[in-house]
Amino acid sequence: MKLFDSHVAPNPRRVRMFLAEKGIKLETHPVDIGGGENRRPEFLAMNPLGKVPVLELDDGRYVAESLAICEYFEEIQPEPSLIGADALERATIRMWERRMELEVMRWLLGAFINSSEFFKGRVKQVPAFADVCREMMSERLTWLEGELTGRDYVAGERFSIADITLFCTLDFGNMVGEQYEADLFPAVARWHRRVAARPSAAA
Amino acid sequence: MKLFDSHVAPNPRRVRMFLAEKGIKLETHPVDIGGGENRRPEFLAMNPLGKVPVLELDDGRYVAESLAICEYFEEIQPEPSLIGADALERATIRMWERRMELEVMRWLLGAFINSSEFFKGRVKQVPAFADVCREMMSERLTWLEGELTGRDYVAGERFSIADITLFCTLDFGNMVGEQYEADLFPAVARWHRRVAARPSAAA
């Protein structure tokens, strides 16, 4: 298997961190997003949407979409579990993972995509929508602050894929100027330091 | 178990259609979204994000997020399979489901939320972003038209949750004035009619 990867985007990092937690090592191919490698025909043949990461399987088939890739590895190597040990725990973790993705990551990426220099000319940016995204991000952080007060991980007692998604989201924000104010969200910041201390955070 | 449901939103319909395909009948409670029932404290105690659907379990716990709910039912009643029979088929179906959700549903809902009368005063609407969403929707439909030419279902040979997500998305668009032009996308329209003919489409 081979992972088509990038170190400048949050989604491939979710997969790398997931694999690091599992102790799975894969051959990787770094995709030069800045140089448009993901828009070239060879890449589009693997993923017509031009997005990373993409997993190449040994039979030559491809799986795109971070979550689909992570769920695949959870199935072929269940331990240590990052999505849950039984149906109900998996339901809870998947709920939290989706909340992190759709309610936090979505707004942070919306702010970035609609205002950054990188996306100028690549997409039709709407700066007023970037502002809405920042307001939503702040609202969601306020909610998360309450959730993370008094518990260690996003989905409960266990470190899970929901933590990976939130961590890669907030770290990406810090990298591109969409950082949260740690002073205003101390429980989030504490959680952030806790996850940053894991060896997988270096992935 | 009980499903907190709504007939005016696309996400609860995904779950109803999924359950109908499985032949699972549940007690449902219709949530009056127009009247703000989903913003009242009793509802927020179940799902602090105020969104439907929510599944109430027999032990009094709650699972929100359509996909987490569907994955839960797939686990407790695997047949007929809507997410796949083995790890690789599940990876493929999950990839396609996410594409339908993140690459099609997202843009259609973005157009609706940022321009409809219903959301006036409920969110800060950005009409210019609605326009971008419509352009993206059209681009994604063009891609889908190619994908659906010569195959019966979104993820391949088998009807799956990816079809449910796309179907509920396009039907919702038809309902709220964000319909696609069937003449321009004949393969999509053919697929749409094929899925609309399933008994579960009435759910």
Side-chain angles (χ1 to χ4, degrees):
Chain A
M1 286 191 280
K2 183 154 110 181
L3 186 69
F4 290 82
D5 191 22
S6 162
H7 278 255
V8 299
N11 278 311
R13 191 182 181 197
R14 290 161 73 191
V15 174
R16 289 199 308 275
M17 195 166 168
F18 191 92
L19 293 171
E21 289 280 343
K22 294 254 182 212
I24 297 172
K25 287 190 197 340
L26 282 192
E27 183 190 349
T28 61
H29 172 92
V31 178
D32 176 13
I33 296 179
E37 184 180 346
N38 57 318
R39 297 284 156 202
R40 289 211 282 269
E42 311 88 77
F43 191 88
L44 296 176
M46 299 192 296
N47 184 4
L49 296 167
K51 299 188 172 181
V52 284
V54 175
L55 178 68
E56 183 183 55
L57 297 167
D58 291 335
D59 67 359
R61 295 175 62 173
Y62 298 100
V63 181
E65 297 296 331
S66 319
L67 252 286
I69 296 172
C70 290
E71 290 265 9
Y72 179 70
F73 283 110
E74 179 86 356
E75 294 202 29
I76 63 176
Q77 187 190 305
E79 299 292 335
S81 168
L82 296 165
I83 304 183
D86 59 37
L88 181 54
E89 195 187 17
R90 280 192 287 277
T92 304
I93 289 174
R94 285 182 179 129
M95 169 179 76
W96 279 103
E97 198 287 326
R98 287 176 66 79
R99 286 173 167 171
M100 294 308 100
E101 186 165 318
L102 301 177
E103 306 292 342
V104 184
M105 188 182 222
R106 174 167 61 136
W107 299 118
L108 190 134
L109 291 185
F112 174 63
I113 290 169
N114 284 284
S115 65
S116 71
E117 279 299 318
F118 179 79
F119 275 101
K120 269 204 176 92
R122 291 177 195 249
V123 304
K124 209 170 275 181
Q125 293 180 311
V126 181
F129 188 68
D131 295 340
V132 169
C133 290
R134 287 190 190 103
E135 281 172 41
M136 287 303 299
M137 186 67 194
S138 162
E139 194 180 283
R140 293 311 190 224
L141 281 167
T142 302
W143 160 67
L144 255 186
E145 178 67 16
E147 294 283 350
L148 288 173
T149 299
R151 82 172 183 255
D152 283 350
Y153 296 109
V154 169
E157 303 296 305
R158 185 205 279 271
F159 177 84
S160 78
I161 192 168
D163 296 288
I164 293 178
T165 297
L166 179 61
F167 180 76
C168 294
T169 299
L170 297 182
D171 260 22
F172 184 74
N174 287 346
M175 192 172 89
V176 298
E178 299 288 345
Q179 63 274 26
Y180 69 102
E181 288 191 60
D183 291 354
L184 294 182
F185 304 104
V188 173
R190 222 167 15 245
W191 166 91
H192 197 169
R193 285 193 299 275
R194 186 179 306 125
V195 178
R198 299 176 78 90
S200 65
Chain B
M1 288 192 279
K2 184 155 111 181
L3 186 69
F4 290 82
D5 191 21
S6 161
H7 278 255
V8 298
N11 278 310
R13 191 182 181 198
R14 289 162 74 191
V15 174
R16 288 198 309 275
M17 195 166 168
F18 191 91
L19 292 171
E21 289 280 342
K22 294 256 183 211
I24 297 172
K25 288 191 197 335
L26 283 192
E27 182 189 349
T28 61
H29 172 91
V31 178
D32 176 13
I33 296 179
E37 184 180 346
N38 57 318
R39 296 284 156 204
R40 288 211 283 270
E42 311 88 77
F43 190 88
L44 297 175
M46 299 192 296
N47 184 4
L49 296 167
K51 298 188 171 180
V52 284
V54 175
L55 178 69
E56 183 183 53
L57 297 168
D58 291 334
D59 67 359
R61 295 174 63 174
Y62 299 101
V63 180
E65 297 296 333
S66 320
L67 252 287
I69 295 171
C70 290
E71 290 264 9
Y72 179 70
F73 283 110
E74 179 87 356
E75 292 203 27
I76 62 176
Q77 187 189 305
E79 298 293 335
S81 168
L82 296 166
I83 305 184
D86 59 37
L88 180 55
E89 194 187 18
R90 279 192 288 278
T92 305
I93 289 174
R94 286 181 179 129
M95 169 179 76
W96 279 103
E97 199 288 326
R98 287 176 65 78
R99 285 172 168 173
M100 294 309 100
E101 186 165 318
L102 301 176
E103 306 293 342
V104 185
M105 188 182 221
R106 174 166 61 134
W107 299 118
L108 191 133
L109 291 184
F112 174 63
I113 290 168
N114 284 284
S115 64
S116 71
E117 279 299 316
F118 179 80
F119 275 101
K120 267 203 176 91
R122 292 176 195 249
V123 304
K124 208 171 276 180
Q125 292 181 312
V126 182
F129 188 67
D131 294 340
V132 168
C133 289
R134 287 192 191 104
E135 281 173 42
M136 287 303 299
M137 187 66 194
S138 162
E139 193 180 284
R140 293 312 190 225
L141 280 167
T142 302
W143 160 67
L144 255 185
E145 177 68 17
E147 295 284 351
L148 289 173
T149 300
R151 81 173 185 255
D152 283 350
Y153 297 109
V154 169
E157 302 299 303
R158 184 204 281 271
F159 177 83
S160 77
I161 191 167
D163 297 288
I164 293 178
T165 297
L166 179 61
F167 180 75
C168 295
T169 299
L170 296 182
D171 260 20
F172 184 74
N174 288 346
M175 193 172 88
V176 299
E178 300 288 345
Q179 64 274 24
Y180 69 101
E181 288 191 61
D183 291 353
L184 295 181
F185 304 104
V188 173
R190 219 164 20 242
W191 166 90
H192 197 168
R193 286 193 299 274
R194 186 178 306 125
V195 177
R198 299 176 79 88
S200 64

